[in-house]
Amino acid sequence: MKIETVLREHKRSITPERVKMFDFFTHKHLSSASDIEQAFPELGRASIFRTLRLFLKIGVIRRVALGERGENYELVDEDSHHEHMKCSKCGKVVSFESADICQKIFSEAQKIGFHVTEHSLSILGVCKNCMT
Amino acid sequence: MKIETVLREHKRSITPERVKMFDFFTHKHLSSASDIEQAFPELGRASIFRTLRLFLKIGVIRRVALGERGENYELVDEDSHHEHMKCSKCGKVVSFESADICQKIFSEAQKIGFHVTEHSLSILGVCKNCMT
DNA sequence: TTCGTTGCAAAGCTTTTGCACGAAT
DNA sequence: ATTCGTGCAAAAGCTTTGCAACGAA
């Protein structure tokens, strides 16, 4: 996915700030606003939040809830659905394929008469290492 | 479930503030800190947050993510697992049984070597009425 | 040139902390 | 009597907004 193309499709300007943030997500898969702020101190905080909102809106990233203050985001991957599990001791995050959970959610939504636009599974626990 | 018993089991004082908050959850199932603050203006904000944290810790309530600023909480129901779907137009929240999703999560966690302590599924969408 | 986007600073919310007073055990 | 919990006020963390200046189209 080329961010330039997506921005053009949505009639939004291609700016160095947006390209920087997009590139950041391609190498740090799960990031928060403050991760980005630390990585690019020259970016204004407001622009970071505005760009995150834009990326959400045009479907470039999605929110990932992990039971914390402050949201996390990751690039949307069209053809692979996964969710995250976070160790509340060491902070490690593990992802796993979740196509079947996705499917379950959609079928449940259909029963109720809901059109799902966004979903996120937040799992906290303790990893093998931290179980002592 | 009697809150007095649970508090006693955990060697915590039984106070009118804690009882009030517990009772509030029994009739308004999904609530945020500010819902409680509005319902009981006489309670200090700090005590509300402290009590929420206590209730979380002793397993009386659980966090419910709904893609918003500010957390929501609900009473833990030992023998029925459900999750929530929220309409982003009208704000309506619908819950649905999710025993099978729960099971899937636990089996996935086992594979990875994780012990799940808390999980929450956040689903946003558009309900039948709002689909125009 | 025009309109969208940025950075800064200030404001807004939600949540936490320190401390003295008051209540529960 | 002692310990635990409360309220207040202040601080801290995260996110949004207003506005003037700047850069993309």
Side-chain angles (χ1 to χ4, degrees):
Chain A
M1 179 168 53
K2 284 199 68 193
I3 189 62
E4 286 83 354
T5 314
V6 182
L7 287 172
R8 221 170 341 241
E9 275 168 3
H10 287 267
K11 304 201 197 319
R12 302 314 209 94
S13 305
I14 296 165
T15 68
E17 291 81 3
R18 288 172 179 172
V19 175
K20 263 188 203 177
M21 282 182 55
F22 179 83
D23 289 346
F24 186 70
F25 276 110
T26 65
H27 73 263
K28 184 163 183 316
H29 295 189
L30 197 63
S31 304
S32 65
S34 77
D35 292 337
I36 297 168
E37 198 180 351
Q38 290 193 308
F40 306 108
E42 74 276 16
L43 292 196
R45 195 173 290 145
S47 299
I48 293 174
F49 283 102
R50 278 184 292 230
T51 300
L52 286 174
R53 250 190 309 175
L54 171 63
F55 281 4
L56 274 176
K57 193 164 135 197
I58 63 181
V60 168
I61 59 174
R62 71 181 196 112
R63 248 190 289 255
V64 174
L66 283 172
E68 299 163 315
R69 278 273 225 88
E71 308 271 4
N72 292 282
Y73 304 90
E74 68 177 7
L75 289 184
V76 168
D77 178 356
E78 317 272 313
D79 32 56
S80 131
H81 295 279
H82 66 275
E83 299 292 347
H84 305 83
M85 236 172 253
K86 172 165 186 165
C87 175
S88 46
K89 304 279 186 212
C90 67
K92 188 173 60 176
V93 175
V94 181
S95 16
F96 61 94
E97 257 291 314
S98 64
D100 38 6
I101 290 178
C102 261
Q103 211 169 351
K104 192 85 197 64
I105 289 169
F106 280 89
S107 86
E108 207 62 58
Q110 197 154 40
K111 270 191 234 167
I112 301 174
F114 244 76
H115 173 243
V116 176
T117 53
E118 162 180 356
H119 72 271
S120 161
L121 181 52
S122 157
I123 306 178
L124 287 182
V126 184
C127 74
K128 218 180 264 177
N129 283 343
C130 294
M131 262 188 269
T132 62
Chain B
M1 178 167 53
K2 285 200 67 193
I3 189 61
E4 286 82 355
T5 314
V6 182
L7 287 171
R8 222 172 337 244
E9 276 169 1
H10 287 267
K11 305 201 198 318
R12 303 314 210 92
S13 305
I14 296 165
T15 68
E17 292 81 3
R18 288 172 180 172
V19 174
K20 263 187 204 179
M21 281 183 57
F22 179 83
D23 289 345
F24 186 69
F25 277 109
T26 65
H27 73 264
K28 184 165 183 317
H29 295 188
L30 197 63
S31 304
S32 65
S34 77
D35 291 338
I36 297 168
E37 198 180 353
Q38 290 194 307
F40 306 108
E42 73 276 16
L43 292 194
R45 195 173 290 143
S47 299
I48 293 174
F49 282 102
R50 279 184 292 229
T51 301
L52 286 174
R53 252 190 307 177
L54 170 64
F55 281 5
L56 273 177
K57 191 164 137 198
I58 64 182
V60 168
I61 59 174
R62 71 179 196 114
R63 248 190 289 256
V64 174
L66 283 174
E68 298 163 315
R69 277 270 225 92
E71 308 272 6
N72 292 283
Y73 304 90
E74 69 177 6
L75 288 184
V76 168
D77 177 355
E78 318 271 315
D79 33 54
S80 130
H81 296 279
H82 66 275
E83 301 291 348
H84 305 83
M85 236 172 254
K86 174 166 185 164
C87 175
S88 44
K89 303 280 186 212
C90 68
K92 188 174 59 176
V93 176
V94 180
S95 16
F96 62 94
E97 258 291 314
S98 64
D100 39 6
I101 290 179
C102 260
Q103 210 169 352
K104 192 84 199 62
I105 290 169
F106 279 90
S107 85
E108 207 62 56
Q110 197 154 40
K111 272 191 230 165
I112 301 174
F114 244 76
H115 173 244
V116 176
T117 52
E118 161 180 357
H119 71 272
S120 161
L121 181 52
S122 157
I123 307 178
L124 287 183
V126 184
C127 75
K128 218 179 265 177
N129 282 344
C130 295
M131 262 189 266
T132 63

